[in-house]
Amino acid sequence: MAGRKRVPRPAAGITQRRTVTAAHCRLCGSSRALCHGVATLWRMSDVRSRIAAALAEALREIGVAEGVDPVVEPSARPEFGDFSTPAAMASAKVLRRSTRDIAQQLSDRLTAANVEAVSAWSVSGGFVNAHLDAATWGREVIDAAVAMPGIERVTMPEGHAVFPGKTLVEHTATNPNKAAHVGHLRNACIGDTVARVLRRTGHTVEVENYIDDTGVQVADVAVGIRDLGLTPLDGEPFDQFCSRVYVEVSRRYEHDPALQQQRAAVLHDIEAGKTDTASFVKDIARRVVACHLATMARFDIRYDLLTWESDIIALGFWRQAFDLLRDSGAIAHADSGQHAGCWVLPPESDPHDLDSDAAKVLVKSDGVATYTAKDIAYQLWKFGMLGRDFQYTRWDPGDPSSPMTTSAEGDSADVHFGGAQRVVNVIDARQAYPQRVVTTALRRLGHEAAADNSIHLAYEVVALTPAAAAVLGVPLEAGREMYALSGRRGIEVRADDLLDRAVQRLSEKARDADSARDVAAGAVRYYLLRFSLNQIIAFDFDEALRVTGDTGVYLQNAHARASGILRKVSDDGIAYTVPSSLERVERALLHRIDGYTWALAETARALAPSVLTAYAFSLASALSDFYEHTSPIVREADAEVRRFRRALVAATRATLGDALRTLGMAAPDRV
RNA sequence: GCCCCCGUAGCUCAGCGGAUAGAGCGGCCGCCUUCUAAGCGGUUGGUCGUGGGUUCGAUUCCUACCGGGGGCGCCA
């Protein structure tokens, strides 16, 4: 590459289409050769993108475009300016010249580039720093933020691409045999937030909730109700009743192993298509799913489609997948060895070793397909590679806002699901191995792109601190730091109960019941989202229900505070101007607002909700800092200052509101 | 045995190659006749598990250990 091609710098606000030039796609991670047609819509409306583009050009001019990334970051400290780049230090090595000379050279070229809203460049300690013209930059940031609520998608900044085609997100997938607990809720909050973030950044998204209504867990409950005659207590919600049955049946298995034959009989009846047993089990599952949907709706979590495992079986999806796998040689029948009589998928390391410990049995010697087998069929369907489709009906025909649901019968030619180009499965980290088997199967079938775009969005579990375990009456063991949740043993914090407790806590100070409910749901969501995905959440009641500091309550309160200011300070209808000299807290707040699209883009790229929670907290903190360290706007005598600060608060409110809604939280104007 | 995750302040966690390692909670001291004190300021508190290595630069990347958790089923 000549490295001389001039890239025209578009004026602010101009939208351009261009192809990503990095060696690897930042979205899918594959090399450019494998990543087909990913294009990015970028708008040079933010200074940071403009600086990065100008820097890239400057690096080309000094001949290091290949070896040095045009990294531009917010300056570590205000005295270093507004944005800084360490590119000179990296260039020094390539050019074998002094950092200081190169920094000065870059600074000179950047000065000559006349980047809009940059007033000066400086060099300090190897960094080249941009100093912004507050009046120009501030107006840009505020205007973009205030306009944001009206635009359908937030524009991705420089270097961030939108994945083309449909992304299918599967989450929740709680077994339909018990009430959802806080672990299931973590899954649902992650999945729901990822879907919201992708939609907000311009992606096409479909959300599915997989219902395992043919597994052992629901069979356990069927045994408890049908064979043991367990009945609900007066007023006991059906999902909680099932939780109790599940624990009771599991307890009885230990004393009465013969009881497990009852479960085997139930599973056998389902497999054989014996309709009275199947409909009995399906009825249990339906009623529990109704409870799960109600629970999740309290957190504003909804689905486009409920996918029933029984439909995958009834419609012969596995049979179809099996034929594809067998005909392609991806799986083979083991005639001898430890897997004799089974159809197995050989390990990644050796596509022919049927006897390996790492080989995965997909069809047991009794002819029954394993769970992972059905998951392969489902994954193929998700990518539209099965050549078959479900029938669909409305979950609640009387409620158009209820999800669609798969069905084995009926006629629904007008609706279509699946056929995605990318699949995100939100499943806890313990299931990494079977998820890997699924992608291996796709690869063996020759579906390389689908395998590459099959994302197991793994997250660690929620566990109990000793304090939380004690609250639940779990016997403590000396030196033990974590206690696992277990629906089977009844060790759990139910999602509904946790929310009830949060509502109760907030009712003390909330203006009314609706407000307490909204803020409580947001607070619980925030708590479950703020940990990075590979961190086990050490669940603690005091921490989860806390209302001060780094909490959802603080964020929502900050939004209400901004709304309150806007109510009190009337808009006089005269256009604001940004002063050329800003207060420390004003500049800091503008920087946080300016950083929103970057935080959102990074969240979408990494599929990491905690990036967005951390951003939202930093924005709310910046607002508090501003609020506490400037005099009340409502009493501000200088009309220009008043108009500017009002606009600044309006921009903050718009941005924080957008962030909260993208996190699935309410953005209340009063609390 | 092999694989994955975690180890940063008393506690819970951010920080995914750049400038003096941050936040919340807890402790201590302050601030409500001022747009919501669910707030703010100050203070206390860290050999970033340990040893090597790569680099101009490492909490961040590599490697070997140590400690904790999880996974390696003809369960889901």
Side-chain angles (χ1 to χ4, degrees):
Chain A
M1 178 177 285
R4 286 262 143 206
K5 204 173 99 189
R6 182 110 199 140
V7 176
R9 235 183 346 273
I14 303 294
T15 298
Q16 265 204 350
R17 182 181 290 275
R18 69 160 206 181
T19 312
V20 173
T21 53
H24 294 270
C25 171
R26 296 190 61 172
L27 196 72
C28 64
S30 52
S31 71
R32 293 291 307 133
L34 291 172
C35 175
H36 304 293
V38 176
T40 179
L41 274 175
W42 63 309
R43 207 156 92 138
M44 301 293 275
S45 61
D46 72 287
V47 209
R48 186 172 166 185
S49 290
R50 290 199 296 270
I51 292 171
L55 174 63
E57 176 62 14
L59 291 172
R60 268 190 290 277
E61 288 169 2
I62 65 169
V64 294
E66 291 300 304
V68 180
D69 288 333
V71 176
V72 176
E73 291 166 342
S75 302
R77 312 165 73 75
E79 55 266 38
F80 298 142
D82 293 289
F83 289 101
S84 304
T85 175
M89 289 180 278
S91 304
K93 186 186 167 193
V94 177
L95 298 175
R96 291 200 269 189
R97 283 170 42 210
S98 88
T99 298
R100 168 121 216 124
D101 285 356
I102 296 166
Q104 192 54 53
Q105 194 180 1
L106 286 175
S107 177
D108 292 345
R109 286 178 184 271
L110 288 165
T111 301
N114 248 325
V115 179
E116 191 178 4
V118 176
S119 58
W121 293 88
S122 68
V123 172
S124 66
F127 289 85
V128 179
N129 312 306
H131 302 259
L132 302 181
D133 166 46
T136 310
W137 168 64
R139 167 162 285 287
E140 237 178 63
V141 170
I142 290 172
D143 287 352
V146 171
M148 187 166 48
I151 63 173
E152 64 176 305
R153 63 177 65 172
V154 171
T155 309
M156 300 284 252
E158 162 80 5
H160 283 88
V162 173
F163 188 89
K166 186 200 285 185
T167 299
L168 194 159
V169 178
E170 178 204 317
H171 68 78
T172 309
T174 308
N175 264 297
N177 75 320
K178 57 178 171 294
H181 63 53
V182 66
H184 304 123
L185 188 60
R186 183 183 195 184
N187 180 306
C189 289
I190 291 167
D192 184 67
T193 301
V194 163
R196 286 170 187 264
V197 168
L198 291 177
R199 285 190 170 126
R200 194 70 186 113
T201 52
H203 295 81
T204 303
V205 179
E206 185 173 301
V207 176
E208 301 191 356
N209 181 4
Y210 182 63
I211 315 292
D212 179 10
D213 61 333
T214 66
V216 294
Q217 294 200 17
V218 71
D220 286 333
V221 172
V223 167
I225 296 173
R226 193 184 66 178
D227 301 330
L228 298 179
L230 298 174
T231 54
L233 303 171
D234 211 27
E236 186 177 34
F238 190 73
D239 58 341
Q240 290 184 31
F241 163 58
C242 289
S243 292
R244 197 161 56 76
V245 172
Y246 184 42
V247 172
E248 178 63 20
V249 170
S250 299
R251 201 176 59 76
R252 293 207 196 182
Y253 284 153
E254 291 176 20
H255 307 291
D256 181 10
L259 191 59
Q260 294 193 31
Q261 290 169 11
Q262 302 286 79
R263 171 173 69 187
V266 169
L267 290 170
H268 182 79
D269 286 353
I270 295 173
E271 192 77 26
K274 196 172 171 189
T275 53
D276 53 345
T277 302
S279 64
F280 179 73
V281 171
K282 180 111 185 181
D283 184 57
I284 291 171
R286 267 189 218 279
R287 294 173 68 186
V288 174
V289 167
C291 293
H292 288 172
L293 295 180
T295 299
M296 296 310 169
R298 296 180 74 191
F299 295 95
D300 203 14
I301 295 166
R302 288 157 218 289
Y303 313 89
D304 296 314
L305 180 68
L306 308 179
T307 320
W308 295 74
E309 187 176 74
S310 56
D311 290 330
I312 286 177
I313 294 170
L315 292 169
F317 281 22
W318 164 244
R319 197 71 233 171
Q320 179 74 10
F322 174 81
D323 288 345
L324 292 172
L325 289 162
R326 184 198 51 202
D327 295 349
S328 70
I331 64 172
H333 188 264
D335 299 318
S336 61
Q338 61 176 327
H339 302 127
C342 301
W343 286 88
V344 302
L345 181 79
E348 285 174 287
S349 55
D350 182 353
H352 303 290
D353 186 358
L354 301 180
D355 200 43
S356 164
D357 286 344
K360 179 66 187 171
V361 172
L362 297 184
V363 182
K364 299 186 272 185
S365 55
D366 65 0
V368 176
T370 60
Y371 177 88
T372 303
K374 294 166 209 165
D375 228 18
I376 291 170
Y378 183 25
Q379 190 81 351
L380 284 167
W381 172 84
K382 286 175 174 175
F383 279 108
M385 291 164 169
L386 202 57
R388 296 193 180 201
D389 201 358
F390 296 102
Q391 298 297 324
Y392 304 97
T393 58
R394 183 73 64 187
W395 166 256
D396 178 356
D399 177 9
S401 73
S402 76
M404 294 298 285
T405 181
T406 62
S407 169
E409 354 182 285
D411 177 21
S412 47
D414 53 331
V415 284
H416 176 66
F417 291 92
Q421 281 68 51
R422 181 167 66 152
V423 171
V424 176
N425 292 327
V426 182
I427 302 175
D428 78 63
R430 295 173 303 187
Q431 296 193 51
Y433 168 65
Q435 280 292 297
R436 201 166 175 78
V437 170
V438 170
T439 53
T440 300
L442 293 187
R443 225 174 277 286
R444 292 276 164 73
L445 285 169
H447 297 311
E448 285 291 334
D452 288 343
N453 290 321
S454 293
I455 300 168
H456 172 206
L457 191 61
Y459 64 94
E460 288 289 345
V461 296
V462 179
L464 303 170
T465 59
V471 169
L472 299 177
V474 177
L476 300 185
E477 297 164 41
R480 192 174 176 84
E481 297 178 335
M482 273 326 173
Y483 294 81
L485 297 176
S486 169
R488 190 176 278 284
R489 288 189 291 149
I491 301 170
E492 59 188 12
V493 177
R494 280 197 295 266
D496 280 322
D497 290 351
L498 180 61
L499 180 52
D500 290 344
R501 283 194 199 221
V503 170
Q504 192 176 15
R505 169 74 64 94
L506 288 160
S507 296
E508 296 161 19
K509 294 189 76 173
R511 54 188 281 109
D512 57 37
D514 284 352
S515 178
R517 195 198 55 213
D518 287 349
V519 176
V524 172
R525 273 188 80 122
Y526 184 82
Y527 173 72
L528 293 174
L529 290 172
R530 50 177 274 248
F531 296 85
S532 61
L533 297 182
N534 44 20
Q535 191 75 244
I536 293 174
I537 295 182
F539 182 87
D540 180 77
F541 282 103
D542 291 339
E543 187 66 14
L545 299 173
R546 189 160 50 78
V547 298
T548 59
D550 186 4
T551 65
V553 178
Y554 176 90
L555 302 196
Q556 291 169 308
N557 192 56
H559 185 270
R561 174 177 267 180
S563 297
I565 293 170
L566 297 177
R567 273 196 306 275
K568 293 247 163 77
V569 183
S570 59
D571 182 356
D572 62 11
I574 300 174
Y576 73 92
T577 53
V578 179
S580 56
S581 173
L582 296 171
E583 300 279 337
R584 185 199 110 242
V585 289
E586 293 169 335
R587 182 174 287 263
L589 185 51
L590 276 170
H591 266 296
R592 291 326 299 149
I593 296 168
D594 196 17
Y596 181 52
T597 55
W598 294 80
L600 204 51
E602 174 60 14
T603 307
R605 185 198 65 77
L607 303 176
S610 64
V611 171
L612 192 53
T613 56
Y615 167 80
F617 177 65
S618 74
L619 177 60
S621 297
L623 177 67
S624 291
D625 201 13
F626 166 80
Y627 177 89
E628 296 284 347
H629 298 103
T630 50
S631 52
I633 304 171
V634 70
R635 294 178 201 284
E636 177 58 54
D638 185 325
E640 279 199 34
V641 172
R642 190 175 65 242
R643 280 193 288 266
F644 162 63
R645 289 191 176 158
R646 186 186 194 283
L648 181 57
V649 171
T652 306
R653 176 178 173 274
T655 306
L656 185 54
D658 202 77
L660 288 171
R661 285 185 289 272
T662 304
L663 287 166
M665 299 164 65
D669 289 325
R670 290 186 163 90
V671 291

